[in-house]
Amino acid sequence: VFEAHAVLMKIERTAKAAAKYCKGSDSEMAALRAFSDRLASDPLIGKLRVVHPRMEEALAIARSASCDGYTPVVIKDPDFGQHFRLELTLRPLTKAEWEAGGPRTQLMCFVRIFNWPLSLLRTIAVDTEADNFNNNWIKDCRGRDVQNGGLADIFSNLIVLTIALSPLPITLEDVQIREFATFDTPPLKGARPGVLVVEKAPPVDGGRFENWEVPNAPTRSGCYRISGGTKVHYKMSSKEVPNCTDLLSFSKFGLPVPSFLLPVDTFKNILASKIQESLKLMYAGGLVDRWAETGYQERMGPSAPNASFYKAVEAVMRASAPPKRAP
């Protein structure tokens, strides 16, 4: 996305310069106008123009996010290997981060996962082929709907997830547009080449947004839609264990409930537990050790709709591989 946007900006600057040079030549000006019209009307380029600012915003969140001074929940699970580790920290937004007029509870969540036993390519395939994901792999999932994009949508998708916060009598609905960008050069300090996965709530309560159909917000008692959410995930090959993935995740979101109904420490422990339990469900469901049975591999072949994206992910994995030692 970032490289393509830079090329697009260069092409547009060149076209403007050429227009000045070609003044007086009707045929050349007509060709330039036709070219500019094509740039303006091409749906893929149009999608690039709206995705790029969201990616820039996501990186700004990731670069400025900090949970210093807050104690994380740390989870180690031998089912995922002796090197697996999950750390989750949750805090209220600061005054500078607070969205005026936004939800009554606004939070920042920081998650780090080390050595998830699935390669980066397969991890990204699970994100991309969202309609193939098994709802039973999400703890307390009450519903999940997916609209898949494709090349014209830069491989993005829209996901509507409803999840119960048991044991609390609260259900949350999360509506997210998921978009991707690959990086041969890491955009975050301390990271490695990887894939940026951005999940952002559409700015409408229902109806059409860009090329997506957003469902109306829930009205039943006890069910709340997460507001103004942005989740920024950066995924990269593990530097400790082959064919494993490390993840950095920064989430900024709001809930239309007062904080006394959902204290930060209570919510933090619930989130950490649900992530761990969902990972266990994925593992037990065969996502790791019975990959061939999950249906993902068939969608990753050379003639599959998203094949070009998976080639880009493979290039990222090669960029992060340690250099071979001389014999």
Side-chain angles (χ1 to χ4, degrees), residues 138-144 160-175 217-227 253-257 261-262 267 270-271 274:
I138 302 175
K139 178 64 175 177
D140 295 324
C141 176
R142 295 294 181 264
R144 185 173 176 275
V160 182
L161 172 66
T162 305
I163 188 168
L165 285 186
S166 54
L168 301 178
I170 295 174
T171 301
L172 298 180
E173 182 187 81
D174 194 11
V175 182
T219 57
R220 63 186 182 276
S221 177
C223 186
Y224 305 95
R225 175 173 288 182
I226 296 176
S227 303
F253 60 94
L255 301 172
V257 294
L261 284 179
L262 193 60
F267 192 30
I270 290 174
L271 283 180
K274 287 193 179 297

Side-chain angles (χ1 to χ4, degrees), residues 109-246:
C109 183
F110 180 32
V111 178
R112 295 194 296 177
I113 295 177
F114 302 92
N115 305 312
W116 168 241
L118 205 62
S119 70
L120 178 62
L121 181 62
R122 292 182 175 184
T123 298
I124 297 302
V126 173
D127 290 337
T128 307
E129 312 294 341
D131 62 320
N132 192 60
F133 193 87
N134 190 329
N135 293 0
N136 294 325
W137 294 343
I138 302 175
K139 178 64 175 177
D140 295 324
C141 176
R142 295 294 181 264
R144 185 173 176 275
D145 295 307
V146 175
Q147 298 172 36
N148 265 357
L151 177 59
D153 298 304
I154 317 183
F155 311 108
S156 57
N157 47 59
L158 182 141
I159 302 169
V160 182
L161 172 66
T162 305
I163 188 168
L165 285 186
S166 54
L168 301 178
I170 295 174
T171 301
L172 298 180
E173 182 187 81
D174 194 11
V175 182
Q176 298 287 331
I177 298 171
R178 178 184 289 165
E179 296 168 329
F180 303 88
T182 59
F183 287 89
D184 293 339
T185 301
L188 302 174
K189 184 178 180 180
R192 300 181 295 283
V195 181
L196 182 68
V197 184
V198 178
E199 297 174 335
K200 187 173 179 63
V204 296
D205 291 331
R208 191 76 176 174
F209 174 70
E210 295 178 4
N211 56 326
W212 307 110
E213 288 293 337
V214 181
N216 292 326
T219 57
R220 63 186 182 276
S221 177
C223 186
Y224 305 95
R225 175 173 288 182
I226 296 176
S227 303
T230 299
K231 301 183 185 73
V232 185
H233 314 290
Y234 189 75
K235 304 186 180 187
M236 49 196 170
S237 295
S238 168
K239 66 178 181 180
E240 298 177 339
V241 184
N243 297 317
C244 287
T245 296
D246 291 348

Side-chain angles (χ1 to χ4, degrees), residues 56-77:
E56 290 279 15
E57 178 190 2
L59 282 180
I61 291 173
R63 288 165 176 160
S64 63
S66 172
C67 284
D68 294 343
Y70 290 84
T71 303
V73 174
V74 179
I75 293 174
K76 297 181 180 181
D77 196 318

Side-chain angles (χ1 to χ4, degrees), residues 4 15 21 26 32 34 37 39 64 78 103 117 119 137 174 209 249 272-273 281-282 321 324 327:
Y21 181 79
D26 292 342
L32 278 172
D37 290 344
L39 287 180
S64 63
S119 70
W137 294 343
D174 194 11
F209 174 70
S249 178
S273 175
L281 290 171
M282 293 180 205
K324 294 183 179 180

Side-chain angles (χ1 to χ4, degrees), residues 50-114:
V50 297
V51 169
H52 180 261
R54 291 198 282 261
M55 291 289 179
E56 290 279 15
E57 178 190 2
L59 282 180
I61 291 173
R63 288 165 176 160
S64 63
S66 172
C67 284
D68 294 343
Y70 290 84
T71 303
V73 174
V74 179
I75 293 174
K76 297 181 180 181
D77 196 318
D79 288 348
F80 307 141
Q82 61 176 332
H83 300 289
F84 173 86
R85 187 169 80 258
L86 183 153
E87 300 175 359
L88 184 146
T89 309
L90 190 70
R91 65 165 175 81
L93 295 190
T94 64
K95 186 178 294 186
E97 297 168 332
W98 186 269
E99 179 186 340
R104 286 183 284 179
T105 299
Q106 299 184 30
L107 302 167
M108 175 71 75
C109 183
F110 180 32
V111 178
R112 295 194 296 177
I113 295 177
F114 302 92

